[in-house]
Amino acid sequence: MNKKSDLKHLLWVSIVFWGAAYTAIEAPFSLVFHGRIHTWQLVLDAVFSIIFGLDFYFHYKEIKSLENSKSYTKRLKAPKPFAKYTFLTFDFVACIPFDLLGAFIGLPHVFIILRLLRLFRVYKIVQTINEMANVPTWFRIQVIAIISLIVLNWIACGWIAIYPKPDDVSVTSYFIKCFYWTITTVATIGYGDITPTTDGGRIYTCFIEIIGVGMYGIVIGNITQMMAAADRHKEQTREKLNDLLLFMKHYHIPHHLQEAAFNHYNHLLSKRLTDNDEKIISELPHALQDEIQIYMKIKLISAIPIFHGLGHECLKEVAKSLEQIYTAPGDYVIRVGEMGHEMFIIAHGSVDVSIADGTIVANLHDGQIFGEIALIKETTRTANIISQSYCDLYKLTDENFKILTKQFPKLLENIEKNTQRRPTDKK
Ligand code: CMP
């Protein structure tokens, strides 16, 4: 799945999640207050039933496509018949608009509770998140916040079921009071201004105090863990730069060299090219390492004009042939008059193009190419290429260039068109 469809999927899951959360909060609330169902509740019931209906349909289609897939690994992912029918039944019941049915055909009030089957979706969403490798922090925080709210609301409703609302107090004011009791009990603050007066109430309070400690710990623990993960990379960067500074000071390294070293580190760190990243990839199986690197190269080159209109197959072959190199400011990547054996793509950074007398004729940067003339015309280099900043370049050898342009003539056509536009490259 790509980033866009990942985001779309997460947004859809969020909508379904909100629908389930609304039901999980509203159903016990309506039950304990025996409230009249308002028109806005009927409208929301209809909207969420449609959303759940769509979700049921998407889910059904997904299961069918897994079952009928030609790929063995995909077929393995399809749920077993028991799980499939259980999931689908729960999902189907969740689509039924019980509030609407209650209002129009007079279902007993207790049927509201059947809508809680929508909660099953919350469980499935949590499962989906646990299976996904890369879930954004905003989504995780949203899930934790809503689940906490649902649980707190239930606890408050439980208290209301034991101590029903007196007639002279409004629903809002009584709910706020009970919610306040819930928070002070779960957080083990217990001011003691609202206390149980019956055995049932005392047992309930004991129970809530015990689960409250656990719940509090889980929520705080999860949020702390997420914050720490988001900050880890920044912390590593700070540590590296600190070490570098101490090293420079200890050995009295001249100022211009210090600056060059800091620039280089900043460049690597800003691109996340840390030792740690390389270590993470190096621990994966070789075949997977290669696939990830090819994927990253395809992502980079697909945005470059000379690769526009070329199929995935071509991009993949080019990506396989590219080798990454780094250059520092002032490095000569190409010297005029030499024989050329490779061309380059600038992934990041900028280079100057100068002719034999040293005049700079152009400046090339991210996404542009150079060194192609010597390969196309089989002549010597027509200009010098000097790194102007720290650059990440991708190198394509003469041999691979020949193989690729033979296999994909459109690639050669695009490169030649790019070369003809050269005079306009000057900044
Ligand atoms: P090549 O001759 O192989 O090596 C030097 C490279 O500099 C050349 O290929 C082009 O890619 C690039 N080059 C030469 N002249 C210009 C120009 N006027 N504008 C931009 N790039 C150029």
Side-chain angles (χ1 to χ4, degrees):
M1 227 191 290
N2 62 32
K3 215 172 179 178
K4 241 184 188 168
S5 61
D6 254 356
L7 189 68
K8 263 197 209 157
H9 178 66
L10 275 182
L11 283 179
W12 177 251
V13 172
S14 287
I15 294 172
V16 176
F17 187 49
W18 277 97
Y22 162 76
T23 313
I25 290 171
E26 195 265 341
F29 187 91
S30 294
L31 203 71
V32 289
F33 283 113
H34 306 289
R36 185 174 68 80
I37 305 276
H38 298 273
T39 318
W40 64 265
Q41 282 170 300
L42 295 182
V43 173
L44 276 184
D45 195 37
V47 171
F48 286 129
S49 293
I50 293 171
I51 290 173
F52 279 88
L54 284 173
D55 194 55
F56 172 77
Y57 170 71
F58 295 148
H59 191 211
Y60 179 76
K61 254 183 55 181
E62 190 190 321
I63 294 180
K64 278 280 150 223
S65 86
L66 284 178
E67 284 176 344
N68 300 332
S69 170
K70 284 186 187 136
S71 142
Y72 175 69
T73 43
K74 278 196 174 165
R75 281 203 305 279
L76 267 187
K77 282 188 192 160
K80 303 273 168 299
F82 177 73
K84 173 178 138 185
Y85 288 113
T86 317
F87 279 130
L88 287 179
T89 312
F90 275 117
D91 285 359
F92 181 73
V93 177
C95 310
I96 302 173
F98 284 107
D99 271 351
L100 280 172
L101 290 180
F104 291 111
I105 62 169
L107 275 183
H109 203 64
V110 73
F111 267 87
I112 290 178
I113 219 71
L114 270 182
R115 286 187 305 151
L116 284 182
L117 286 177
R118 286 181 182 172
L119 257 188
F120 194 65
R121 306 296 297 160
V122 174
Y123 164 73
K124 272 174 66 183
I125 288 165
V126 173
Q127 241 189 356
T128 313
I129 295 171
N130 287 338
E131 279 164 15
M132 284 169 80
N134 187 18
V135 180
T137 310
W138 65 265
F139 190 85
R140 284 186 191 272
I141 291 187
Q142 168 188 248
V143 172
I144 293 178
I146 293 178
I147 293 180
S148 309
L149 204 64
I150 293 173
V151 176
L152 292 173
N153 177 64
W154 281 356
I155 297 174
C157 288
W159 179 264
I160 299 166
I162 298 172
Y163 297 108
K165 180 181 85 66
D167 290 339
D168 55 343
V169 184
S170 74
V171 169
T172 317
S173 156
Y174 196 62
F175 183 75
I176 291 175
K177 187 176 166 186
C178 298
F179 200 76
Y180 160 80
W181 171 85
T182 306
I183 298 285
T184 51
T185 309
V186 167
T188 63
I189 299 169
Y191 289 122
D193 51 345
I194 306 170
T195 47
T197 49
T198 57
D199 284 347
R202 285 185 201 106
I203 292 172
Y204 185 67
T205 308
C206 287
F207 177 68
I208 297 306
E209 271 168 358
I210 293 165
I211 64 160
V213 178
M215 190 181 142
Y216 206 56
I218 290 173
V219 172
I220 301 288
N222 263 298
I223 294 182
T224 318
Q225 199 186 9
M226 274 184 284
M227 304 273 187
D231 230 40
R232 207 164 41 224
H233 183 243
K234 276 193 204 145
E235 192 51 49
Q236 279 173 355
T237 309
R238 262 197 297 271
E239 267 178 31
K240 260 215 150 106
L241 290 176
N242 246 343
D243 285 351
L244 188 63
L245 186 71
L246 290 177
F247 174 89
M248 299 288 181
K249 280 206 169 136
H250 183 80
Y251 291 103
H252 302 289
I253 305 289
H255 191 70
H256 72 279
L257 285 182
Q258 283 195 26
E259 206 177 293
F262 272 111
N263 284 343
H264 178 66
Y265 257 102
N266 271 331
H267 163 66
L268 290 186
L269 293 168
S270 68
K271 296 204 71 235
R272 278 196 61 104
L273 297 169
T274 59
D275 302 348
N276 194 34
D277 281 3
E278 274 167 20
K279 195 165 159 267
I280 286 172
I281 294 197
S282 72
E283 282 166 7
L284 295 171
H286 284 294
L288 192 54
Q289 275 184 42
D290 291 348
E291 264 193 64
I292 290 176
Q293 288 186 345
I294 288 173
Y295 166 79
M296 284 162 71
K297 287 177 190 167
I298 291 180
K299 218 171 121 187
L300 171 95
I301 61 175
S302 59
I304 297 176
I306 59 158
F307 295 107
H308 285 174
L310 300 170
H312 182 76
E313 189 55 31
C314 172
L315 294 183
K316 196 169 170 186
E317 290 306 315
V318 174
K320 276 189 202 165
S321 318
L322 294 177
E323 186 196 325
Q324 190 163 19
I325 60 163
Y326 300 104
T327 60
D331 283 358
Y332 271 72
V333 189
I334 284 178
R335 281 182 195 275
V336 65
E338 284 182 358
M339 281 307 290
H341 300 293
E342 59 261 313
M343 63 167 278
F344 300 85
I345 297 169
I346 308 175
H348 186 78
S350 79
V351 297
D352 280 338
V353 183
S354 70
I355 48 175
D357 66 3
T359 315
I360 294 175
V361 293
N363 177 268
L364 306 174
H365 37 90
D366 298 21
Q368 290 185 298
I369 60 163
F370 60 84
E372 77 292 3
I373 296 179
L375 304 194
I376 298 172
K377 299 197 175 155
E378 297 187 355
T379 56
T380 52
R381 298 293 194 188
T382 57
N384 293 305
I385 299 285
I386 307 143
S387 242
Q388 212 212 3
S389 65
Y390 288 94
C391 296
D392 308 332
L393 306 174
Y394 281 111
K395 189 166 92 174
L396 183 67
T397 62
D398 190 11
E399 198 184 330
N400 284 330
F401 176 82
K402 284 198 182 105
I403 298 172
L404 288 166
T405 47
K406 197 169 166 204
Q407 198 181 348
F408 306 102
K410 177 115 180 40
L411 175 62
L412 183 60
E413 208 180 289
N414 285 3
I415 294 178
E416 282 173 344
K417 267 190 209 153
N418 177 81
T419 308
Q420 283 158 17
R421 283 200 299 267
R422 281 298 188 205
T424 58
D425 284 332
K426 181 118 177 75
K427 253 190 181 173

